[in-house]
Amino acid sequence: MLTAVFLFVLGSIGLLFLEEYLHNRPSISNLGTWLSEHLYLPMLRAGLVLIFVAAAYPALFGLQDAPAIDSLLSAGRYRLDWWVNGVLLVSLALPTIPGLGRIPGIVLTIQGMVASAMLFGWVAQDMGLHQYWLFPGWSLLGKILLITGAAGLLSWMAAYYLQVARKRLVAESLRLLAQMPALIIFGSALGRQLDGL
């Protein structure tokens, strides 16, 4: 799990530097800026989420012994395509919902939940669990949203109070790191359905 968090944070920091570079580069055309904001960067974020979920598996679901992820993704037709496209679709569709984009980190959290839920569905089928849920319930969803909101608030406070260069990068890195508990809580809740198998 620590390896997954390390890879995610390292990749996210690299992505933040790339975003900052693109924002401060006046030579990019309006079309290039739009494509970066609405296509290229969301694709990279989706890739980071998939890397985190893949690296955290099977510990993300609280499992010690589970089918290898490569065998899961190759077992069904176009599973890898569905997995990648599902997470990418979330990153492209959610920002268009009015007001949702104002909650820092919500898109990232939902992307991680979608990636985890899809992977868990395949694990459950492979392990013989035919009836399972992918929606965490309103209580757990409320906790996840609370953690996501608190992470956004803490990152804003860090950006406001820290007296360091590149405040935004530091604050965004802290926010990204703080998203991990929400995804771990969701993955653990999914994995509890496999207890006793």
Side-chain angles (χ1 to χ4, degrees), residues 30-81:
N30 288 338
L31 177 61
T33 302
W34 188 91
L35 287 172
S36 295
E37 286 291 323
H38 295 92
L39 185 61
Y40 304 142
L41 292 173
M43 285 175 66
L44 290 172
R45 289 188 199 107
L48 280 174
V49 169
L50 292 172
I51 288 169
F52 169 76
V53 173
Y57 173 81
L60 182 63
F61 302 127
L63 299 174
Q64 297 287 336
D65 188 26
I69 192 165
D70 57 336
S71 66
L72 279 175
L73 294 175
S74 61
R77 195 172 182 196
Y78 302 122
R79 278 187 178 178
L80 181 59
D81 294 343

